[in-house]
């Protein structure tokens, strides 16, 4: 239950939707009762780090400052819920990480519930306490980032949550046999029997250079802190592996694929 005076929703749009002819103070105070306008806008501008910017206009601010004005305006009526509609879609990729951390810190200090709409998995995983995956208008799964990533509800959720190897296998006595090894079955699937798809995340596959190995490196993407490999096995299966950049495996190398010993989810 939420008290009637707290049943308010704030919104931060993709383009911020600031009024260009109004100052920062006027934008933030828009819609507030006159008796509380002065004190409340001073309070929220202090919260978002824009005290002293009251007389400036939107065109005199950076993109990040404009976003904070939009956030201050959303917080000014003391809402019970703030909706963020892809708030970093118009921000330079090099600035998104720092701005994401900054905005998350402001919202946590405000103590308000936030619903963030995003198509960026990294954004959701990095700041959300709880994630809901939607597919065709329905929620497929809701939980923590770790839960969604390691225990996805189905094969679609597994692929959506990150790079995934969905490897054919056969379950018997709580173990699944696959082309890269035998694993304990996770996600309550130990009672299954017969053919399944086993989810093996790329970081769980190790590549061991071996002249007579059963797989070949056919793709190599250097990402700085790690390297993303595609390997082709002798039976025509393509697997993906994510390894530290200190482990150098050249393109075209023959390798043996070894999986970490961990329980894996399986799907029919």
């Amino acid at each position: 239950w939420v008290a009637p005076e707290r049943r308010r929703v704030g919104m931060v749009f993709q383009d911020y939707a600031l009024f260009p002819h109004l100052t920062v103070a006027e934008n933030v105070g828009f819609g507030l009762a006159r008796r509380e306008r002065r004190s409340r806008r001073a309070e929220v501008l202090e919260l978002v780090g824009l005290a002293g910017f009251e007389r400036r206009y939107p065109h005199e601010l950076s993109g990040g400052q404009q976003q904070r004005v939009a956030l201050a305006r959303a917080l000014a009526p003391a809402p019970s819920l703030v909706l963020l509609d892809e708030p970093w879609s118009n921000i330079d990729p090099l600035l998104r990480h720092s701005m994401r951390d900054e905005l998350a810190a402001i919202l946590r200090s405000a103590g308000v519930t936030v619903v963030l709409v995003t198509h960026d998995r990294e954004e959701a995983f990095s700041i959300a306490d709880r994630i809901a995956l939607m597919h065709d208008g329905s929620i497929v799964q809701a939980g923590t980032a770790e839960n969604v990533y390691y225990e996805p509800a189905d094969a679609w959720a597994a692929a959506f949550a990150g790079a995934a190897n969905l490897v054919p296998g056969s379950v018997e006595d709580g173990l699944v046999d696959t082309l890269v090894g035998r694993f304990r079955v996770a996600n309550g699937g130990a009672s299954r029997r017969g053919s399944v798809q086993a989810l093996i995340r790329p970081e769980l596959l190790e590549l061991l250079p071996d002249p007579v190995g059963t797989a070949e490196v056919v793709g190599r993407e250097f990402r700085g802190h790690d390297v993303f490999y595609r390997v082709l096995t002798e039976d025509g299966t393509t697997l993906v592996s994510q390894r530290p950049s200190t482990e150098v495996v050249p393109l075209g190398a023959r390798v043996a694929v070894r999986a970490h010993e961990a329980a894996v989810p399986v799907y029919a």
Side-chain angles (χ1 to χ4, degrees):
W1 183 84
V2 180
E5 63 272 16
R6 289 283 290 173
R7 290 175 186 166
R8 299 170 180 171
V9 177
M11 181 79 177
V12 179
F13 299 91
Q14 291 184 33
D15 60 359
Y16 314 140
L18 300 178
F19 299 112
H21 62 291
L22 299 183
T23 65
V24 166
E26 290 168 337
N27 266 283
V28 173
F30 187 84
L32 290 178
R34 182 170 297 180
R35 66 181 180 275
E36 64 178 352
R37 191 174 297 162
R38 182 183 298 273
S39 61
R40 184 57 182 160
R41 69 190 181 192
E43 183 180 338
V44 293
L45 284 173
E46 180 71 30
L47 177 66
V48 301
L50 288 178
F53 287 72
E54 290 85 353
R55 296 182 180 274
R56 297 195 188 184
Y57 287 87
H59 72 271
E60 297 176 305
L61 305 175
S62 68
Q65 290 169 334
Q66 290 179 25
Q67 184 181 70
R68 283 187 278 165
V69 173
L71 179 60
R73 184 177 61 184
L75 293 173
S80 56
L81 179 70
V82 172
L83 302 179
L84 301 181
D85 181 15
E86 299 192 77
W88 300 285
S89 60
N90 296 321
I91 301 297
D92 187 302
L94 295 176
L95 298 176
R96 284 181 191 172
H97 188 275
S98 60
M99 291 187 64
R100 193 166 63 217
D101 290 347
E102 180 181 273
L103 190 59
I106 292 171
L107 290 166
R108 290 187 191 280
S109 65
V112 63
T113 299
V114 177
V115 175
L116 166 66
V117 178
T118 180
H119 291 88
D120 189 315
R121 181 176 60 247
E122 182 182 337
E123 283 181 2
F125 279 12
S126 63
I127 66 175
D129 298 316
R130 188 171 176 82
I131 295 171
L133 295 183
M134 295 193 70
H135 183 50
D136 289 339
S138 299
I139 294 179
V140 174
Q141 183 176 4
T144 64
E146 290 83 356
N147 174 247
V148 169
Y149 186 75
Y150 289 113
E151 300 179 19
D154 57 24
W156 177 87
F160 187 86
N165 294 294
L166 288 166
V167 181
S170 180
V171 174
E172 187 173 351
D173 297 329
L175 298 173
V176 56
D177 276 310
T178 74
L179 61 89
V180 291
R182 175 180 287 189
F183 305 89
R184 290 179 290 110
V185 175
N187 74 325
S191 60
R192 292 181 183 270
R193 283 186 173 274
S195 298
V196 295
Q197 287 184 304
L199 169 63
I200 303 173
R201 291 293 185 193
E203 63 271 19
L204 299 180
L205 290 184
E206 186 177 0
L207 304 181
L208 305 174
D210 183 347
V212 294
T214 59
E216 178 186 355
V217 175
V218 294
R220 186 178 187 276
E221 182 181 334
F222 181 75
R223 298 180 175 179
H225 49 75
D226 60 25
V227 183
F228 199 79
Y229 295 95
R230 283 188 301 112
V231 298
L232 183 65
T233 66
E234 288 184 336
D235 68 354
T237 300
T238 299
L239 301 172
V240 290
S241 172
Q242 185 174 351
R243 306 304 305 161
S245 56
T246 52
E247 296 181 14
V248 180
V249 183
L251 193 65
R254 301 295 301 184
V255 294
V257 179
R258 184 171 68 187
H260 291 205
E261 294 183 5
V264 300
V266 298
Y267 307 98

